[in-house]
Amino acid sequence: MGAETLSFQAEVARLLNIVTHSLYTNKEIFLRELISNASDACDKLRYLALTEPALLDGDATLGIRIEIDKPGRRLAVIDNGIGMNRDDLVQNLGTIAKSGTAAFVEGMAAAKPADMNLIGQFGVGFYSAFMVADRVEVTSRKAGENQGWRWASEGAGSFTVEEAGEVPRGTRIELQLNKEADEFLERARIDRIVKTYSDHIALPITVAAEGAEEKVNSAAAIWARPKADITEQQHREFYHHVGHAFDAPWLTIHQKAEGTIEYTMLLYVPSEKPFDLFDPDRKHKVKLYVRRVFVTDHCEGLVPAWLRFLRGVVDSEDLPLNISRETLQANPIVQKIRNALVRKVLSEIEAKAKQDAESFAKFWDAFGAVLKEGLYEDFEHRDRILKLARFRSTEGDALVTLDDYIGRMKEGQSEIYFMTGEDLGKLKTSPQLEGFKAKGIEVLLLTDPVDDFWTSMVPAYEGKALRSVTRGGIDLGGIKGAKAEPPKEEAAKEGDIATLIAVVKTALGEAVKDVRASDRLTESPVCLVAAEGDMDMRLARLLRQTGRAPEAAARILELNPRHALVKRLAALAAAGGAADQVGEAAHLLFDQARILEGEGPVDPAAFVRRLNEALARNLAA
Ligand code: ADP
Ligand code: MG
């Protein structure tokens, strides 16, 4: 059978176009990516061979070999790992299943000069070979199969696949180097690259050139080495490898536990947010090893979703090697490791928070929104997470803790007040806060979508109820404000307000649950709040957007009896005979309050008509 020509998936073609047509300063990373793939391939085979030893068929010493052919200007990376058959080649080296490509292409376009270092992070590392090669040939035989296959491409729109007959198990990736890539024919250069980027690979890596072959890495699992022997640089390279990341770790946690269960964990907290942090699957990326053998990077029970930013490995001494991946989650050893891991990670993060507030603020900025998911998913650790949590508030720009907040509570204040919203700027100017500001009562301003969920499920902190200011029923009367309260406008007469409320209720009908006078407003005429038993307004809106709440519950419209406009309307209502005019104004005020909530008028056409009539009247007068 002859060679078959196939087209790259459009995304791959676009990616290759970038890879082959940009200039890079760090071209050598292609080798790290190919070695990383070779190492993954050996890990996969080793795992499968646990239950099917025949897969190793007489070639059980796994390793990676790099061959330099100087006269032929070729460089090959060879492994005897799992290998690929025809379908694997077409699938893995012709399409991109992962969500990362678009993000990668954007990231590349944004980074000037183009930063190829990013490539491994997006699960497309293989294609970096085209930075240095005019042509790439992949010859492979899958473990357990007889037929070998050859994939080849020049990196333009297409590739070929054909049968390759009898070839050794595993994969040989051969690069025909381009004219700018001479340096990669020098043995010393290759040795240095392997040492720099791949020393932590726990398989022997040998380099063969001009008849001489030598092992160049230390080939020991880094986490099994004594803590003190590992340099920061080695940690960084290993973190890059396991985490597909290219920043420096913000925190490194290396612990060997020897007790009823034995395991080693080497975990990293990134300093930058990984691009897929908020992917809906919320999967963690910590790899599970059993006695130095890679088992899986999808062991769901090992790390809770609210710590999914962690990268690294857990290596257990107690799990059976032949355990099926499906039963891992329910395994009691895995659960014990998970509990210990969560406690350890929390205590390390707590220590960082104490040591260096500024650095912790950066961490919180990147991962606080994820950690807060633990507030409703992990009851056991709720208090510790609450203690770590940082918030914006009406008191200046600094991040505050709940303990800071409680320390500043005013005399007579027994609750922690908060408000949620999309945008800090909008929150700060929202009418619901006016009364709090006038009395100098601090309000926490929460802007992460997750804030709506946890605040609806966490009733209190240190015995202080958490309370949304967009709910009715908050009485600020009993709290002694710190500031001298600004002289208040005279309020409208109580009787007049009662009449106005009746007229407004009639005009708005079912659209509101209630209408009442309120002391929470100082500058705005009206605002909307949720009734005490009802769902917080923003949570209701979020749920509606995701189709999970049937209909908006009607709100309470609160009137400011000291506002000039409200006073004028009260007087009009009390004088009688102006019900129509007051009713129209009530609709305008109601819609205005909705707009401030980000919801828009009930009936935009009617709103515009009323507004224009009001303007026309005003201009005519
Ligand atoms: P990633 O390694 O993040 O999955 P790559 O672009 O580096 O992305 O590789 C794509 C896929 O090609 C790998 O996931 C793997 O399935 C396959 N692959 C690449 N190199 C090898 C190899 N040496 N042996 C077996 N499979 C390989
Ligand atoms: Mg890879």
Side-chain angles (χ1 to χ4, degrees):
M1 204 171 90
E4 214 182 320
T5 303
L6 296 164
S7 301
F8 284 117
Q9 183 191 21
E11 284 83 358
V12 179
R14 200 149 55 99
L15 175 71
L16 281 171
N17 193 38
I18 296 179
V19 171
T20 49
H21 290 102
S22 311
L23 286 175
Y24 302 101
T25 50
N26 48 354
K27 282 192 285 193
E28 77 263 18
I29 63 95
F30 81 91
L31 192 57
R32 172 190 68 199
E33 295 302 326
L34 297 183
I35 291 175
S36 161
N37 288 347
S39 156
D40 289 347
C42 292
D43 279 349
K44 281 181 203 157
L45 176 59
R46 181 148 42 196
Y47 177 75
L48 290 177
L50 294 172
T51 46
E52 215 181 320
L55 288 176
L56 289 170
D57 66 42
D59 181 12
T61 313
L62 300 176
I64 301 169
R65 200 175 123 95
I66 300 169
E67 277 177 17
I68 304 171
D69 168 8
K70 214 167 178 176
R73 299 184 50 80
R74 278 192 292 259
L75 183 72
V77 177
I78 304 143
D79 67 73
N80 56 353
I82 184 77
M84 289 178 274
N85 59 23
R86 182 194 174 277
D87 289 350
D88 294 335
L89 285 168
V90 171
Q91 190 64 38
N92 299 337
L93 309 183
T95 64
I96 307 174
K98 297 170 195 112
S99 58
T101 346
F104 175 71
V105 173
E106 274 162 36
M108 291 287 291
K112 296 267 182 312
D115 188 2
M116 200 33 85
N117 221 344
L118 293 169
I119 198 164
Q121 192 177 351
F122 296 93
V124 290
F126 169 78
Y127 302 104
S128 64
F130 287 97
M131 276 191 295
V132 297
D134 287 330
R135 176 182 157 86
V136 177
E137 203 174 275
V138 180
T139 313
S140 193
R141 180 166 68 81
K142 194 163 183 166
E145 298 184 10
N146 296 320
Q147 179 64 54
W149 292 90
R150 181 168 299 116
W151 176 105
S153 176
E154 280 157 20
S158 66
F159 60 91
T160 58
V161 269
E162 60 186 319
E163 290 182 1
E166 270 189 44
V167 295
R169 183 196 70 222
T171 303
R172 176 189 180 95
I173 306 216
E174 190 164 287
L175 314 183
Q176 184 68 56
L177 295 177
N178 64 31
K179 29 183 208 312
E180 285 86 40
D182 282 345
E183 57 188 297
F184 304 113
L185 293 167
E186 301 303 329
R187 162 176 219 128
R189 177 87 171 101
I190 296 294
D191 284 2
R192 230 177 316 122
I193 299 171
V194 174
K195 283 220 179 68
T196 308
Y197 294 106
S198 309
D199 194 50
H200 56 82
I201 298 277
L203 293 162
I205 302 175
T206 58
V207 177
E210 288 148 6
E213 177 157 356
E214 251 175 70
K215 186 174 115 187
V216 287
N217 67 332
S218 46
I222 178 171
W223 61 90
R225 309 216 304 250
K227 228 172 145 162
D229 291 2
I230 309 169
T231 66
E232 203 181 311
Q233 174 67 16
Q234 285 167 333
H235 270 304
R236 189 191 284 234
E237 293 310 332
F238 180 65
Y239 162 64
H240 289 176
H241 169 71
V242 281
H244 283 295
F246 296 95
D247 50 342
W250 177 74
L251 178 64
T252 299
I253 303 171
H254 187 189
Q255 192 194 30
K256 206 173 163 94
E258 284 160 334
T260 44
I261 51 165
E262 265 181 56
Y263 60 87
T264 304
M265 60 183 167
L266 177 49
L267 300 173
Y268 303 95
V269 176
S271 41
E272 271 156 46
K273 226 188 266 191
F275 74 96
D276 53 359
L277 189 62
F278 290 103
D279 274 7
D281 67 12
R282 302 167 74 233
K283 280 205 175 102
H284 77 81
K285 304 254 162 54
V286 173
K287 295 181 195 251
L288 177 68
Y289 282 71
V290 172
R291 294 185 286 287
R292 254 69 64 219
V293 176
F294 171 74
V295 174
T296 177
D297 40 19
H298 301 298
C299 177
E300 238 190 87
L302 188 63
V303 178
W306 57 274
L307 287 176
R308 64 180 173 277
F309 50 83
L310 289 172
R311 297 292 184 267
V313 307
V314 169
D315 188 352
S316 159
E317 299 293 322
D318 310 298
L319 283 169
L321 254 174
N322 57 358
I323 190 165
S324 92
R325 292 183 212 202
E326 290 67 44
T327 63
L328 270 173
Q329 191 179 355
N331 185 289
I333 295 174
V334 171
Q335 288 175 353
K336 275 194 191 130
I337 296 178
R338 170 201 172 104
N339 292 340
L341 179 151
V342 171
R343 281 196 299 271
K344 176 71 179 165
V345 169
L346 279 177
S347 68
E348 294 279 330
I349 294 177
E350 284 159 1
K352 281 281 265 192
K354 283 209 188 80
Q355 273 161 25
D356 188 345
E358 204 177 307
S359 160
F360 182 77
K362 280 199 196 116
F363 159 81
W364 187 260
D365 206 40
F367 301 115
V370 177
L371 222 55
K372 282 187 282 189
E373 293 171 14
L375 291 172
Y376 56 85
E377 286 189 346
D378 212 329
F379 183 76
E380 195 190 331
H381 300 105
R382 179 181 281 177
D383 287 345
R384 285 177 85 174
I385 302 172
L386 278 176
K387 238 187 196 355
L388 277 175
R390 300 289 191 268
F391 304 96
R392 302 281 163 199
S393 92
T394 48
E395 296 289 295
D397 294 326
L399 286 170
V400 303
T401 64
L402 290 177
D403 292 324
D404 295 338
Y405 182 96
I406 290 175
R408 288 198 285 258
M409 277 170 53
K410 298 283 177 281
E411 202 184 320
Q413 181 183 353
S414 59
E415 298 175 319
I416 297 170
Y417 296 114
F418 69 87
M419 181 169 184
T420 64
E422 274 120 72
D423 175 282
L424 194 62
K426 272 194 206 138
L427 277 182
K428 281 186 171 162
T429 56
S430 90
Q432 280 101 338
L433 290 179
E434 290 171 3
F436 293 84
K437 283 195 208 149
K439 285 197 145 188
I441 300 168
E442 184 169 12
V443 177
L444 301 175
L445 305 173
L446 315 182
T447 51
D448 290 322
V450 62
D451 291 324
D452 293 290
F453 294 95
W454 74 262
T455 52
S456 71
M457 276 174 259
V458 176
Y461 174 74
E462 301 276 336
K464 310 273 186 287
L466 284 154
R467 200 129 154 87
S468 166
V469 302
T470 63
R471 293 247 179 144
I474 294 181
D475 182 12
L476 300 181
I479 303 176
K480 278 220 172 78
K483 289 184 197 167
E485 285 176 38
K488 281 194 175 166
E489 280 280 322
E490 188 92 13
K493 278 197 225 108
E494 249 173 63
D496 292 1
I497 281 288
T499 315
L500 175 63
I501 287 174
V503 176
V504 172
K505 270 188 191 166
T506 315
L508 297 180
E510 298 284 293
V512 290
K513 196 164 210 165
D514 198 4
V515 179
R516 65 189 180 207
S518 149
D519 65 354
R520 83 165 74 222
L521 296 163
T522 58
E523 278 143 46
S524 304
V526 295
C527 74
L528 287 169
V529 296
E532 205 157 347
D534 284 351
M535 194 178 278
D536 189 68
M537 293 200 289
R538 199 169 96 105
L539 179 57
R541 193 156 58 238
L542 270 177
L543 288 177
R544 257 195 332 277
Q545 280 162 4
T546 57
R548 278 190 281 171
E551 245 174 77
R555 317 286 175 48
I556 297 169
L557 182 70
E558 292 192 345
L559 306 178
N560 176 0
R562 292 186 165 77
H563 193 280
L565 182 55
V566 175
K567 286 204 281 194
R568 174 96 186 91
L569 285 172
L572 265 174
D580 280 356
Q581 212 185 331
V582 176
E584 290 291 283
H587 277 287
L588 270 177
L589 286 173
F590 177 57
D591 280 338
Q592 191 183 96
R594 287 177 57 94
I595 290 171
L596 286 177
E597 286 304 314
E599 303 209 332
V602 182
D603 174 351
F607 171 73
V608 168
R609 176 184 55 76
R610 288 190 184 108
L611 186 62
N612 287 341
E613 281 169 10
L615 280 175
R617 255 199 315 278
N618 186 36
L619 292 176

